[in-house]
Amino acid sequence: MVLKLVGSPYSTCTARVAVVLLEKKIPYELIPIDLSKGQQKTPEFLAKQPFGLVPYIDDDGFILYESRAICRYLAVKYRGQGTDLMPSCSDLKATALFEQAVATEATSFDPFASGAGFEVNEGLTTDQSSVDAAVAKLTVKLNGYELILGKQKYLAGDDLTLADLFHLPWGATLAKFDCKLLTTTGPNVTR
Ligand SMILES: N[C@@H](CCC(=O)N[C@@H](CS)C(=O)NCC(=O)O)C(=O)O
């Protein structure tokens, strides 16, 4: 049975999993959930994802939620297919640097990028001082990224990993909202 990705095309968390499915060349079916109608809060949905959030996957009856955990599951299950996106666990130092990079995304990028992204959300009234504060916090973090990426090609070293891909959904969303930070912080963040 083809893997089911239950989520929303408008959700960055769903996009995080979709990017990895594409990079790993894993066939999948998107089962769309209409967040505006609260379909993620129904008893049937909560039985699969107790917090009422997208996405989750159904891999032949195996249910898994939390986008980053899903991506790691897929990277290990499909090692050798498509792009390899995690170091082998027998390489202790490469694994430690990978863990450092994924933790960096979760603590130093996602909260700040989403904070700025939500403040400049299309169609909503924005409070300019809140936008400025969110962008200032994100700028500090991106300066750190500029240093990291000045020394190595990717966030966990010289190979592309999940840690890099985890940045794409919010990175693309910020660009869409005309937030120029990703191209003005420095050449390495831009790259
Ligand atoms: N840590 C979770 C976060 C999931 C999450 O916040 N999903 C959002 C969309 S990106 C959602 O379902 N929002 C709908 C709601 O809050 O009801 C993950 O990465 O899967």
Side-chain angles (χ1 to χ4, degrees):
M1 200 174 60
V2 70
L3 184 145
K4 291 189 177 66
L5 170 59
V6 183
S8 161
Y10 306 108
S11 127
T12 49
C13 307
T14 305
R16 186 171 294 116
V17 175
V19 163
V20 171
L21 286 164
L22 292 171
E23 195 67 30
K24 299 293 295 171
K25 304 192 190 315
I26 302 167
Y28 73 99
E29 180 186 358
L30 175 69
I31 308 292
I33 295 295
D34 190 337
L35 300 180
S36 67
K37 292 197 176 133
Q39 288 178 349
Q40 74 280 22
K41 308 296 184 199
T42 61
E44 299 73 41
F45 190 97
L46 291 173
K48 304 282 174 37
Q49 213 292 5
F51 300 103
L53 300 170
V54 292
Y56 71 81
I57 58 164
D58 180 343
D59 186 16
D60 216 5
F62 177 61
I63 305 295
L64 190 65
Y65 56 85
E66 279 299 333
S67 59
R68 294 169 184 81
I70 297 169
C71 294
R72 294 170 81 122
Y73 166 76
L74 296 172
V76 173
K77 177 170 177 182
Y78 293 92
R79 194 181 282 286
Q81 174 175 322
T83 310
D84 270 337
L85 294 170
M86 275 174 74
S88 153
C89 58
S90 62
D91 188 336
L92 178 62
K93 287 187 178 165
T95 299
L97 292 171
F98 168 73
E99 294 298 344
Q100 176 178 261
V102 290
T104 298
E105 184 274 333
T107 58
S108 292
F109 182 75
D110 187 88
F112 302 97
S114 59
F118 286 132
E119 287 302 337
V120 290
N121 209 339
E122 211 169 23
L124 301 180
T125 311
T126 52
D127 164 7
Q128 195 53 45
S129 63
S130 301
V131 176
D132 294 346
V135 166
K137 285 184 188 163
L138 179 59
T139 303
V140 172
K141 297 299 176 184
L142 290 179
N143 287 336
Y145 274 86
E146 183 61 24
L147 290 178
I148 297 167
L149 292 168
K151 293 185 196 144
Q152 60 201 41
K153 197 167 170 194
Y154 296 105
L155 291 168
D158 285 326
D159 295 314
L160 178 77
T161 67
L162 290 178
D164 303 285
L165 298 186
F166 286 174
H167 292 74
L168 294 186
W170 272 115
T173 305
L174 289 175
K176 200 169 81 186
F177 294 143
D178 208 27
C179 174
K180 307 236 183 312
L181 280 184
L182 295 178
T183 50
T184 55
T185 298
N188 296 300
V189 167
T190 302
R191 169 174 65 75

